[in-house]
Amino acid sequence: MKMDEAAGEIWVNRLSKFFIDRSPLGAVPTILLTVGAVPYLLTAVFLGIVGLDVRPLFLVSQLLAATMGAIAPVLIWKYETVVFPTFVERATEVTPYDDNRELMSIADRYKSYFSDVGALTAIWTVAVLLVLVANIGYFRGFGITSYVDPGFLVYLLLVLWIAVITAVGIRMVITTNLCIREIGELDFTIDPLHPDGLGGLSTIGYFAIRTTTMLSIGALALPLAFDIARVGGSSGTVYALVAVYIGLIVGSFAFPTVYINRRANEIKRDLLNSKRERIHELHTDLLANDDPEEMDTLQIKLEELRTEYDAYDRVNLYPMSLSIASRLVSSVLLPFAFVLFETYAA
């Protein structure tokens, strides 16, 4: 069973696909050289207007922010074409066939949900642009004193582009969390011999972790945000946006981690209770039976069931895995490193 291929694509992927279909290069190089080049081009135009005699801190921070804007379309492409479909495919391995149909229905619905980013884009973009306007004092160092200055208008266009791109990243987190919550309510089987060492349920966890890792690329814009907050004159508005981003980072791994662990514990507990009851029944039948041949059969069944019980009891649950824990740590390390640096360096 496959997801509905007719479900809509997110706008930035439709734009990327336009270039990919006409390029001899692969998807990633093409996106980087076309859609991903936009923030670099706008940065170059801005520097061409205000001159290259700018503070080194701004130049480094601006290039980091532009890099974030360049990489983001690639990550969005990967999310819609690889990460999300792979999660759905692997999730079907641990759900019964009847629930597979329900899973595919949920997946198709959230694929469409992800592409419908209009309202969120408008709200987030307006918020980001208002923060920029409130901090026009930051641009006095570049000789910009009015909102209609060509340099400010170019920078406004740059921030507009990054805002609409990052709005997709926010939608990505919301999509992942809502999809995991709904799919997690389906019946899941635990396979104690699954190579992931987590009974096969790691597929849900890795979906959440990969989303968090993709979102963490937004930390590359934090040095510029903190620089604007120090100089711009309206630091509260900047820190409010930074707080929203940090909240998204925390929520993108905290909610799925807690939810998946609780759901896995429920599944494991139900399985163990069922097998424990069956062991008790077989033990009772064994004690009440006096037929040697039938007693041997019951004893074999009892030992097999006890072996199964022990196997299920030993299964680790998400996120109790070194590889998963390391991915969780690495995905939040960059943004929090910038925050700590800003806190103690200020």
Side-chain angles (χ1 to χ4, degrees):
M1 302 176 70
K2 294 184 178 181
M3 287 192 300
D4 182 8
E5 298 296 334
E9 290 180 316
I10 192 76
W11 69 267
V12 66
N13 282 351
R14 290 199 300 271
L15 180 60
S16 295
K17 191 174 181 179
F18 173 83
F19 294 107
I20 291 170
D21 290 344
R22 292 161 176 78
S23 171
L25 305 175
V28 172
T30 299
I31 295 173
L32 288 173
L33 292 172
T34 55
V35 182
V38 171
Y40 287 120
L41 292 174
L42 291 174
T43 297
V45 173
F46 175 77
L47 292 174
I49 293 174
V50 303
L52 297 177
D53 186 19
V54 296
R55 292 178 299 118
L57 178 59
F58 165 77
L59 188 59
V60 173
S61 300
Q62 179 60 39
L63 289 176
L64 285 174
T67 299
M68 182 272 291
I71 296 175
V74 175
L75 298 181
I76 294 168
W77 174 268
K78 287 290 186 180
Y79 179 84
E80 190 171 57
T81 62
V82 178
V83 176
F84 190 82
T86 299
F87 159 67
V88 174
E89 179 182 348
R90 292 180 178 175
T92 60
E93 297 174 0
V94 292
T95 56
Y97 182 76
D98 288 344
D99 272 350
N100 278 348
R101 288 196 291 265
E102 180 63 22
L103 186 149
M104 298 309 299
S105 175
I106 294 171
D108 288 337
R109 187 163 70 253
Y110 278 102
K111 187 176 186 297
S112 297
Y113 175 84
F114 175 60
S115 66
D116 185 17
V117 73
L120 176 62
T121 298
I123 295 171
W124 176 251
T125 301
V126 169
V128 172
L129 292 181
L130 287 177
V131 169
L132 184 69
V133 169
N135 286 275
I136 191 173
Y138 178 76
F139 296 92
R140 290 195 181 99
F142 305 105
I144 295 174
T145 58
S146 72
Y147 294 117
V148 295
D149 188 287
F152 185 78
L153 293 177
V154 170
Y155 205 83
L156 195 69
L157 184 60
L158 169 62
V159 172
L160 172 65
W161 174 259
I162 291 180
V164 297
I165 290 291
T166 53
V168 179
I170 296 174
R171 186 70 164 194
M172 183 171 65
V173 172
I174 297 172
T175 300
T176 295
N177 284 351
L178 292 179
C179 188
I180 285 177
R181 185 191 65 179
E182 192 163 342
I183 288 180
E185 294 300 324
L186 301 177
D187 287 332
F188 280 89
T189 59
I190 290 181
D191 179 7
L193 301 179
H194 197 281
D196 68 0
L198 299 171
L201 298 181
S202 66
T203 182
I204 302 176
Y206 279 120
F207 181 40
I209 291 169
R210 294 192 71 176
T211 301
T212 302
T213 303
M214 289 178 170
L215 183 65
S216 68
I217 196 67
L220 293 177
L222 291 182
L224 179 61
F226 292 140
D227 192 40
I228 292 174
R230 279 191 295 267
V231 182
S234 184
S235 60
T237 57
V238 177
Y239 288 130
L241 282 185
V242 171
V244 170
Y245 170 68
I246 296 299
L248 286 169
I249 281 283
V250 173
S252 68
F253 81 87
F255 168 77
T257 298
V258 172
Y259 176 80
I260 295 165
N261 183 263
R262 179 180 63 81
R263 181 65 178 133
N265 269 297
E266 290 175 356
I267 295 170
K268 180 178 178 178
R269 185 177 61 249
D270 290 344
L271 281 169
L272 291 177
N273 286 340
S274 175
K275 292 185 180 301
R276 189 182 296 113
E277 291 175 1
R278 182 57 182 154
I279 288 172
H280 180 72
E281 291 174 0
L282 286 175
H283 186 69
T284 301
D285 291 344
L286 184 61
L287 293 177
N289 200 298
D290 56 5
D291 184 342
E293 185 175 340
E294 191 171 345
M295 288 176 64
D296 288 342
T297 302
L298 289 172
Q299 186 66 44
I300 292 173
K301 290 182 179 180
L302 186 60
E303 290 301 321
E304 290 176 348
L305 197 55
R306 282 173 173 166
T307 300
E308 288 181 13
Y309 181 92
D310 291 339
Y312 281 104
D313 192 38
R314 289 193 299 268
V315 172
N316 290 323
L317 297 178
Y318 177 90
M320 303 308 294
S321 163
L322 181 60
S323 63
I324 290 178
S326 63
R327 291 193 183 199
L328 279 173
V329 171
S330 63
S331 65
V332 300
L333 189 60
L334 182 61
F336 280 102
F338 281 128
V339 172
L340 289 174
F341 179 79
E342 166 65 15
T343 300
Y344 292 105

